[in-house]
Amino acid sequence: MDSFLSILISVVSFGLLGGTIYALVAAGLSLIYGTALLPQAANGQLFVGAGLLFWYLEVVQGWPLWMAAPFTILTAGAFALFLEAALFRRFYGLPDRNITFLIVMVGLAQVLRG
């Protein structure tokens, strides 16, 4: 009975953790499309990149959690602002900006995936 309870707690906690990750990605997609009316295709790659950076800093480099988490958030935010200023802002004034933006985002997703 004790091992059943342990397995149940493990399954429930991993389910909640996975659901939270999916909810964060979905909220990011919804927020970007709802505010800018632009489709987003590279949200998952940016999310995974931030997770990998956090893992690298904490596990490989040995940074404590209280240093790795804010650094990861600031780095991911700075990268997003860089992409906004260098790449996406150019397409805001176009009449067919949705399809152009989607093509750029799919290309960025491929670059980040590689």
Side-chain angles (χ1 to χ4, degrees), residues 19-81:
T20 302
I21 291 171
Y22 288 139
L24 283 173
V25 173
L29 288 171
S30 176
L31 181 68
I32 290 172
Y33 187 74
T35 56
L37 296 176
L38 295 171
Q40 170 65 292
N43 194 29
Q45 281 79 11
L46 294 173
F47 189 77
V48 169
L52 286 174
L53 175 63
F54 178 76
W55 173 83
Y56 176 77
L57 292 175
E58 188 177 26
V59 174
V60 177
Q61 294 296 320
W63 286 26
L65 177 69
W66 63 271
M67 281 178 54
F71 184 80
T72 301
I73 292 169
L74 290 174
T75 304
F79 184 64
L81 289 174

